[in-house]
Amino acid sequence: MNILVITNMFPSKQKPYSGLFVKNQFEELKKTYRDDSLDCYAMERKFTSKVGSLIKYSKFFLNFIFKYVFTSSKYDIIHVHFFYPTVILAYIYKYLKNKNIKIIVTFHGSDIYQNDGHLYRSLLKGVDKYIVVNSQFKKYIHAYLGKDADVEFLPAGISEIFRPTKITKKYDLIYAGSFYSIKGFDLLAKILTSLNKPLNIAIVGSGPLERLINEDIKRVHNVHLIKNASHEQLLELYNASRFLINTSRSEAFGLSICEAMKCGVPCIATNTDGAKEQVIDGENGFILGDFNEIFDDITPISDLVYKTLDYPLNKYHALSDSAEKSARKWTLPNVCKRLHEIYEEV
């Protein structure tokens, strides 16, 4: 059985964390398959203009045809990450090279949220297996194709490196993610502005909204800004923190939530699909209200932050233990074991 993974989301020097979860999953799968039975065709993510993106995708499509269609290589399964327009390559291979090939697609979020056109729906129909990174996405696929569509919830998976370690808790809160509006970085800044009691907070990531962590915030709180953290650094930072705070407007799964919870760090999160998939309110973390409600009235979340930071030790340990246990099933070996079974089934 020969498998080709295709994705338009892969890390590069410019964007080292963009699509890293796809790369990590592929490398974990390589441990199961021979070098010549599993291949990956990927487009690295880079900063480009609209014209640059058009040129980039044109090269991506043409190179695929010359590399995989006009050669002797033959695949039994194509696994596409990020549905549109990448899935078109799978159809090109199917109709020009191997009409019996099976097409599997993993939907990661924006490829479901932002598409509803005729071409999108038509391309959906030829997929043999639909993998979604949160169970809410099943409703979207079933709405398009009916209840008989073969849809399965399976997130990308997290590294086994994430685990509880016995180090001192230096940070009250940790934020791990890009500094963009979609990640709610503006809400994070607003929350920190509203908190008058000094906190130690680790902010891990980078992006254009870094300026929102201004001098007013830094005068009140002890802010530690960490850019380009490795998995090893994240392991230490998570374990040194009492709570992860996730302020996203939209989150398909939220790998940082899963990573932190696997380290025994409970999460305080906005009410997104990804957070609801992992966080059980009051059991392994806390789900806040909808983003817009919180943004308009910050008082409840400020009160919750203070409340959780004053949690009795026994209650905190219960949250921590529950968080770690609930994240175990989503380590990369477990996810890739199920992927291998899916490949065999189709």
Side-chain angles (χ1 to χ4, degrees):
M1 178 171 58
N2 294 324
I3 303 158
L4 177 62
V5 176
I6 304 177
T7 178
N8 62 349
M9 182 78 75
F10 218 64
S12 67
K13 288 184 179 180
Q14 286 186 3
K15 293 187 174 183
Y17 299 105
S18 182
L20 182 60
F21 46 88
V22 178
K23 182 181 179 182
N24 290 341
Q25 187 183 97
F26 174 74
E27 290 179 348
E28 182 66 30
L29 281 169
K30 290 285 284 185
K31 297 175 183 178
T32 303
Y33 294 90
R34 303 188 321 270
D35 287 343
D36 60 348
S37 65
L38 180 68
D39 195 9
C40 181
Y41 182 66
M43 182 172 72
E44 294 182 348
R45 299 290 287 179
K46 296 179 181 179
F47 296 106
T48 57
S49 63
K50 289 184 178 180
V51 173
S53 292
L54 181 61
I55 294 171
K56 181 173 64 176
Y57 269 98
S58 297
K59 289 181 178 178
F60 185 55
F61 273 61
L62 286 172
N63 288 340
F64 174 84
I65 292 171
F66 285 108
K67 186 173 182 178
Y68 294 103
V69 177
F70 297 151
T71 63
S72 60
S73 60
K74 188 172 182 179
Y75 294 93
D76 306 294
I77 294 172
I78 288 182
H79 183 177
V80 175
H81 284 272
F82 293 95
F83 176 67
Y84 185 81
T86 320
V87 74
I88 294 173
L89 295 178
Y91 282 108
I92 290 173
Y93 191 92
K94 184 181 182 76
Y95 290 115
L96 296 182
K97 184 80 172 182
N98 179 12
K99 65 179 181 180
N100 296 316
I101 198 165
K102 300 297 183 181
I103 299 174
I104 299 171
V105 176
T106 296
F107 297 81
H108 289 275
S110 60
D111 46 349
I112 281 187
Y113 288 133
Q114 298 173 1
N115 293 283
D116 193 22
H118 176 72
L119 177 60
Y120 180 88
R121 288 172 177 264
S122 298
L123 292 171
L124 270 179
K125 294 176 181 178
V127 174
D128 297 286
K129 178 77 175 185
Y130 307 84
I131 298 174
V132 292
V133 297
N134 75 57
S135 55
Q136 291 296 313
F137 288 176
K138 287 185 179 182
K139 297 178 182 177
Y140 291 94
I141 302 296
H142 286 148
Y144 291 142
L145 302 174
K147 294 291 185 180
D148 292 334
D150 187 2
V151 189
E152 181 168 340
F153 162 53
L154 188 69
I158 60 168
S159 171
E160 281 190 300
I161 193 174
F162 296 110
R163 66 195 186 281
T165 61
K166 294 182 179 180
I167 62 174
T168 303
K169 297 288 186 183
K170 297 191 296 184
Y171 306 112
D172 298 303
L173 298 173
I174 182 171
Y175 170 92
S178 55
F179 304 168
Y180 284 90
S181 176
I182 190 65
K183 293 298 182 181
F185 198 74
D186 50 343
L187 175 59
L188 175 69
K190 192 171 183 179
I191 291 169
L192 294 179
T193 301
S194 74
L195 297 172
N196 297 318
K197 178 182 175 181
L199 300 177
N200 288 321
I201 179 166
I203 300 178
V204 185
S206 60
L209 297 184
E210 181 181 335
R211 56 183 168 75
L212 296 182
I213 306 301
N214 55 35
E215 291 305 315
D216 290 338
I217 291 173
K218 292 177 181 178
R219 271 194 291 270
V220 176
H221 305 294
N222 189 11
V223 177
H224 300 260
L225 185 62
I226 303 102
K227 297 183 179 181
N228 300 324
S230 65
H231 275 173
E232 289 76 14
Q233 289 172 306
L234 277 171
L235 171 67
E236 182 176 347
L237 289 164
Y238 285 140
N239 276 282
S241 305
R242 284 177 55 78
F243 286 89
L244 174 83
I245 186 164
N246 182 284
T247 53
S248 290
R249 281 177 166 82
S250 175
E251 196 75 76
F253 182 69
L255 289 174
S256 63
I257 296 175
C258 197
E259 291 168 353
M261 289 174 63
K262 185 63 177 63
C263 294
V265 179
C267 180
I268 302 169
T270 44
N271 188 23
T272 62
D273 288 341
K276 288 186 292 186
E277 198 67 63
Q278 302 180 71
V279 180
I280 303 171
D281 190 49
E283 184 174 319
N284 60 11
F286 299 94
I287 294 286
L288 307 171
D290 291 334
F291 185 94
N292 290 335
E293 294 176 3
I294 297 169
F295 202 87
D296 291 338
D297 182 9
I298 210 73
T299 304
I301 188 172
S302 302
D303 293 342
L304 177 62
V305 169
Y306 285 136
K307 177 184 174 182
T308 54
L309 295 178
D310 289 334
Y311 245 42
L313 203 56
N314 63 326
K315 284 189 175 182
Y316 178 78
H317 284 161
L319 280 176
S320 175
D321 290 344
S322 181
E324 192 276 331
K325 288 176 183 176
S326 62
R328 288 177 187 173
K329 58 183 175 290
W330 303 131
T331 60
L332 275 168
N334 289 334
V335 168
C336 288
K337 178 183 178 183
R338 177 57 194 145
L339 265 182
H340 175 69
E341 293 170 351
I342 289 171
Y343 294 157
E344 294 287 343
E345 290 166 4
V346 298

